[in-house]
mmCIF file of all heavy atoms in Angstrom:
data_model
loop_
_atom_site.group_PDB
_atom_site.id
_atom_site.type_symbol
_atom_site.label_atom_id
_atom_site.label_comp_id
_atom_site.label_asym_id
_atom_site.label_seq_id
_atom_site.Cartn_x
_atom_site.Cartn_y
_atom_site.Cartn_z
ATOM 1 N N MET A 1023 12.113 333.167 200.841
ATOM 2 C CA MET A 1023 13.234 333.696 201.606
ATOM 3 C C MET A 1023 14.456 333.883 200.718
ATOM 4 O O MET A 1023 15.152 334.903 200.801
ATOM 5 C CB MET A 1023 13.562 332.759 202.765
ATOM 6 C CG MET A 1023 14.576 333.310 203.746
ATOM 7 S SD MET A 1023 14.778 332.215 205.164
ATOM 8 C CE MET A 1023 15.751 333.277 206.251
ATOM 9 N N VAL A 1024 14.723 332.922 199.856
ATOM 10 C CA VAL A 1024 15.868 333.028 198.952
ATOM 11 C C VAL A 1024 15.684 334.195 197.988
ATOM 12 O O VAL A 1024 16.591 335.014 197.791
ATOM 13 C CB VAL A 1024 16.069 331.717 198.171
ATOM 14 C CG1 VAL A 1024 17.101 331.892 197.063
ATOM 15 C CG2 VAL A 1024 16.489 330.598 199.106
ATOM 16 N N LEU A 1025 14.512 334.306 197.392
ATOM 17 C CA LEU A 1025 14.282 335.313 196.359
ATOM 18 C C LEU A 1025 14.320 336.731 196.926
ATOM 19 O O LEU A 1025 15.012 337.610 196.401
ATOM 20 C CB LEU A 1025 12.938 335.053 195.670
ATOM 21 C CG LEU A 1025 12.793 333.684 194.994
ATOM 22 C CD1 LEU A 1025 11.384 333.496 194.463
ATOM 23 C CD2 LEU A 1025 13.818 333.496 193.888
ATOM 24 N N PHE A 1026 13.589 336.961 198.004
ATOM 25 C CA PHE A 1026 13.536 338.304 198.574
ATOM 26 C C PHE A 1026 14.858 338.670 199.238
ATOM 27 O O PHE A 1026 15.276 339.830 199.216
ATOM 28 C CB PHE A 1026 12.376 338.408 199.560
ATOM 29 C CG PHE A 1026 11.034 338.543 198.899
ATOM 30 C CD1 PHE A 1026 10.270 337.431 198.609
ATOM 31 C CD2 PHE A 1026 10.557 339.795 198.539
ATOM 32 C CE1 PHE A 1026 9.035 337.550 197.986
ATOM 33 C CE2 PHE A 1026 9.317 339.930 197.910
ATOM 34 C CZ PHE A 1026 8.556 338.808 197.628
ATOM 35 N N SER A 1027 15.527 337.679 199.827
ATOM 36 C CA SER A 1027 16.820 337.922 200.440
ATOM 37 C C SER A 1027 17.848 338.325 199.382
ATOM 38 O O SER A 1027 18.677 339.212 199.611
ATOM 39 C CB SER A 1027 17.292 336.673 201.183
ATOM 40 O OG SER A 1027 18.572 336.852 201.728
ATOM 41 N N THR A 1028 17.794 337.688 198.241
ATOM 42 C CA THR A 1028 18.727 338.008 197.158
ATOM 43 C C THR A 1028 18.559 339.453 196.698
ATOM 44 O O THR A 1028 19.548 340.177 196.488
ATOM 45 C CB THR A 1028 18.508 337.056 195.971
ATOM 46 O OG1 THR A 1028 18.789 335.716 196.378
ATOM 47 C CG2 THR A 1028 19.394 337.432 194.796
ATOM 48 N N VAL A 1029 17.312 339.873 196.546
ATOM 49 C CA VAL A 1029 17.043 341.243 196.118
ATOM 50 C C VAL A 1029 17.544 342.241 197.149
ATOM 51 O O VAL A 1029 18.213 343.229 196.822
ATOM 52 C CB VAL A 1029 15.533 341.430 195.862
ATOM 53 C CG1 VAL A 1029 15.198 342.904 195.668
ATOM 54 C CG2 VAL A 1029 15.099 340.628 194.644
ATOM 55 N N GLU A 1030 17.238 341.980 198.407
ATOM 56 C CA GLU A 1030 17.653 342.901 199.466
ATOM 57 C C GLU A 1030 19.171 342.959 199.589
ATOM 58 O O GLU A 1030 19.757 344.030 199.779
ATOM 59 C CB GLU A 1030 17.020 342.467 200.792
ATOM 60 C CG GLU A 1030 17.238 343.460 201.922
ATOM 61 C CD GLU A 1030 16.462 343.094 203.174
ATOM 62 O OE1 GLU A 1030 15.536 342.264 203.082
ATOM 63 O OE2 GLU A 1030 16.793 343.647 204.248
ATOM 64 N N ASN A 1031 19.812 341.801 199.476
ATOM 65 C CA ASN A 1031 21.270 341.772 199.584
ATOM 66 C C ASN A 1031 21.933 342.495 198.413
ATOM 67 O O ASN A 1031 22.930 343.204 198.587
ATOM 68 C CB ASN A 1031 21.751 340.328 199.644
ATOM 69 C CG ASN A 1031 23.247 340.228 199.844
ATOM 70 O OD1 ASN A 1031 23.766 340.521 200.909
ATOM 71 N ND2 ASN A 1031 23.946 339.814 198.805
ATOM 72 N N PHE A 1032 21.397 342.339 197.211
ATOM 73 C CA PHE A 1032 21.937 343.029 196.034
ATOM 74 C C PHE A 1032 21.890 344.541 196.243
ATOM 75 O O PHE A 1032 22.852 345.258 195.968
ATOM 76 C CB PHE A 1032 21.136 342.638 194.792
ATOM 77 C CG PHE A 1032 21.619 343.269 193.519
ATOM 78 C CD1 PHE A 1032 22.506 342.613 192.693
ATOM 79 C CD2 PHE A 1032 21.173 344.534 193.132
ATOM 80 C CE1 PHE A 1032 22.959 343.189 191.513
ATOM 81 C CE2 PHE A 1032 21.613 345.119 191.959
ATOM 82 C CZ PHE A 1032 22.512 344.455 191.154
ATOM 83 N N ASN A 1033 20.756 345.020 196.739
ATOM 84 C CA ASN A 1033 20.598 346.458 196.944
ATOM 85 C C ASN A 1033 21.500 346.975 198.069
ATOM 86 O O ASN A 1033 22.061 348.072 197.969
ATOM 87 C CB ASN A 1033 19.141 346.786 197.252
ATOM 88 C CG ASN A 1033 18.226 346.528 196.071
ATOM 89 O OD1 ASN A 1033 18.644 346.624 194.919
ATOM 90 N ND2 ASN A 1033 16.978 346.192 196.341
ATOM 91 N N SER A 1034 21.647 346.183 199.129
ATOM 92 C CA SER A 1034 22.427 346.641 200.274
ATOM 93 C C SER A 1034 23.924 346.668 199.982
ATOM 94 O O SER A 1034 24.676 347.380 200.651
ATOM 95 C CB SER A 1034 22.150 345.756 201.492
ATOM 96 O OG SER A 1034 22.599 344.426 201.266
#
Side-chain angles (χ1 to χ4, degrees):
M1023 189 174 191
V1024 170
L1025 301 175
F1026 283 92
S1027 177
T1028 297
V1029 170
E1030 188 173 344
N1031 184 71
F1032 181 94
N1033 293 331
S1034 65

